[in-house]
Amino acid sequence: MKPDVAVIIPAAGQGRRLGAGSSKVLVPVAGKPLELHALQSFQRAPSIGWIIVVARPQDRARLAALVRREKLTKVSAIVPGAASRAGSVSKGLAALPSRARWVMIHDGARPCVTRRLIETAVREAKRCGAVACGLPASLTVKVVDERHAVRLTLEHEAPADHGLLHGIVFFNGDLADHAVAVVEEVARERSHRAARRQVLLANIGRRRQAHR
């Protein structure tokens, strides 16, 4: 059976926190560019048919050269990213091949994904409909109010009826058409929120002028 899974790898971040002075995903780690670790894992995974890389416009030529040199034959597109992660994922979804039935999304700056994890995620996504991979949380998580007073501490080992806290490190395997719908809904909601903020700011501005 031919693979019917595509993976989108957003790698359009500027990497300011890393402080490397260049694209984070091209910084050498263990002898090769950071993103290459993940790219090679997906290249070797039998269930993956296509890899779509979302990159900064100024990084696309270097990434294309890397893909050719490393013979990453599953890379079907390198598309320019957007200002937000959701926007970049949306651009990756727009580049999906028509034969892709399932889509996975993996952060290009996370190099430790393995072929075994990929295959397990694909299998479980097809069994359950969607999947997100994570690790048991090791940090203490607290919920605070608007005054930054602690209202709730989430324990690492919660009672059995509440489950255990996990940090999501590898998002998600999902039906391709469903993933497109979800990202479009997120984009619409963010657009509506931005519009509401603009209206609020405009109203505040008018009120200030009225009180002068």
Side-chain angles (χ1 to χ4, degrees):
M1 181 181 294
K2 291 184 178 181
D4 58 354
V5 182
V7 59
I8 296 170
I9 302 184
Q14 298 184 28
R16 292 194 183 98
R17 289 174 295 178
L18 187 62
S22 62
S23 177
K24 174 171 57 178
V25 295
L26 293 171
V27 171
V29 174
K32 53 189 176 184
L34 177 62
E35 186 174 9
L36 182 56
H37 293 270
L39 286 172
Q40 288 177 330
S41 292
F42 284 102
Q43 174 72 29
R44 295 169 184 149
S47 62
I48 301 298
W50 307 270
I51 301 171
I52 295 97
V53 179
V54 186
R56 300 193 307 169
Q58 59 266 43
D59 294 333
R60 291 176 69 196
R62 291 177 64 187
L63 284 168
L66 180 68
V67 166
R68 289 193 298 269
R69 187 180 75 236
E70 299 296 331
K71 296 180 173 57
L72 301 172
T73 57
K74 292 183 180 180
V75 175
S76 59
I78 302 175
V79 299
S84 67
R85 180 180 174 84
S88 292
V89 171
S90 181
K91 289 197 170 189
L93 289 168
L96 284 176
S98 59
R99 290 173 293 163
R101 176 64 176 157
W102 297 82
V103 61
M104 307 191 83
I105 303 167
H106 180 73
D107 190 343
R110 296 185 183 273
C112 296
V113 61
T114 64
R115 172 176 163 176
R116 179 181 178 183
L117 179 59
I118 294 166
E119 294 302 308
T120 300
V122 169
R123 184 181 68 247
E124 292 304 308
K126 290 185 174 182
R127 184 177 69 87
C128 301
V131 67
C133 302
L135 293 170
S138 59
L139 299 174
T140 298
V141 180
K142 294 183 181 292
V143 178
V144 300
D145 61 19
E146 65 278 0
R147 297 181 180 179
H148 301 287
V150 175
R151 295 302 183 194
L152 177 65
T153 298
L154 302 178
E155 302 294 340
H156 302 158
E157 297 184 3
D161 58 339
H162 288 83
L164 303 177
L165 288 179
H166 278 63
I168 302 304
V169 296
F170 177 89
F171 173 81
N172 70 333
D174 207 346
L175 282 170
D177 53 356
H178 181 257
V180 171
V182 168
V183 172
E184 288 178 347
E185 180 62 28
V186 169
R188 281 194 296 271
E189 177 59 25
R190 288 185 173 179
S191 176
H192 292 161
R193 273 188 251 163
R196 288 196 294 269
R197 284 196 296 268
Q198 290 172 359
V199 169
L200 176 61
L201 290 173
N203 287 339
I204 291 173
R206 284 196 289 269
R207 287 172 187 168
R208 284 179 176 174
Q209 291 176 355
H211 286 289
R212 284 178 182 174

